[in-house]
Amino acid sequence: MSDLDELTRAAEIILAGGVALLPTDTVYGLAVRPDSPTAIDRLFAMKGRPREKNLPVMVGSGEQLSELGVDINEACSRCLESPYMPGPLTLAVGFVEDGRRPAWLAGRDEVAVRIPAHPAMLTILAQTGPLLVTSANISGGPTHENVPSILPSLLFEPDVTVDRGPLSKVPSTLVNCRKDPPVVERVGVVSETEILRVLNVDR
């Protein structure tokens, strides 16, 4: 099976309501379509993740991001225009009140979004549209860098796995763009110093 065939098959399984183990440009993630309650339930169960913790969203492009109806304020724009997007940067953003947000985001005040730089993930996102994606580990447990270590750590196996070898154990850096000034809420691949430089914010 060619790489493209493998990624197309993974996209088809996700669209059919499956849970996928996929590579990102940081850690491996578990991905589901956001409008499939059954798939979302299985993802939470697979990780033992508390239901009150909302799932982050990955998109494949700025166009997919705009379709979420999010508020792209100055801080968000600076991050999107930085060298780290696409890449290891997650942005917590709010919504504009124009009715653009999809039904599956109803009731949420904010959403954490990311455009990854991994080519396999981008190929899948181009076929599926936005996905709910969270790190492939037991909630609160350690992050593993390769598929053979990840699979035994989950409570049950995903429906499809795309293995691209060892990845980082370091997550993306999370920036809350809703706050003024914006706040680095999780330091990951990108340092807080570099993010503050991008945002033009003094410590």
Side-chain angles (χ1 to χ4, degrees):
M1 182 184 296
S2 70
D3 282 353
L4 182 57
D5 288 342
E6 179 189 25
L7 299 179
T8 297
R9 176 177 174 272
E12 290 171 349
I13 290 173
I14 293 168
L15 291 173
V19 181
L21 174 60
L22 304 175
T24 76
D25 50 345
T26 55
V27 302
Y28 276 92
L30 294 169
V32 295
R33 59 182 294 173
D35 58 349
S36 174
T38 300
I40 293 169
D41 287 345
R42 293 181 63 235
L43 189 154
F44 272 100
M46 192 176 294
K47 283 178 58 84
R49 182 182 175 96
R51 289 303 300 246
E52 62 269 17
K53 295 179 67 175
N54 286 324
L55 295 169
V57 176
M58 280 196 183
V59 296
S61 65
E63 181 179 358
Q64 286 187 1
L65 178 62
S66 66
E67 291 172 356
L68 300 181
V70 297
D71 179 18
I72 301 178
N73 58 19
E74 181 180 354
C76 183
S77 293
R78 284 180 176 271
C79 290
L80 289 171
E81 293 166 3
S82 76
Y84 309 110
M85 187 72 83
L89 195 57
T90 298
L91 309 179
V93 293
F95 298 92
V96 294
E97 296 300 327
D98 65 357
R100 267 188 299 165
R101 81 167 81 177
W104 51 269
L105 282 172
R108 290 176 65 165
D109 294 325
E110 71 176 23
V111 60
V113 295
R114 184 155 93 87
I115 306 175
H118 197 288
M121 192 73 196
L122 290 173
T123 297
I124 289 172
L125 287 165
Q127 298 180 59
T128 62
L131 296 175
L132 298 178
V133 184
T134 181
S135 58
N137 59 293
I138 288 294
S139 184
T143 301
H144 301 284
E145 64 183 5
N146 57 61
V147 168
S149 297
I150 291 169
L151 291 177
S153 75
L154 301 173
L155 296 180
F156 55 92
E157 287 197 11
D159 300 298
V160 62
T161 296
V162 176
D163 190 344
R164 289 296 183 270
L167 298 179
S168 171
K169 291 184 180 181
V170 183
S172 61
T173 296
L174 172 61
V175 181
N176 191 326
C177 294
R178 296 185 69 204
K179 296 186 177 181
D180 187 16
V183 174
V184 178
E185 295 190 337
R186 180 185 69 209
V187 177
V189 173
V190 187
S191 71
E192 183 175 15
T193 298
E194 181 57 20
I195 291 301
L196 295 177
R197 186 194 67 78
V198 167
L199 295 170
N200 195 26
V201 172
D202 293 327
R203 297 191 72 153

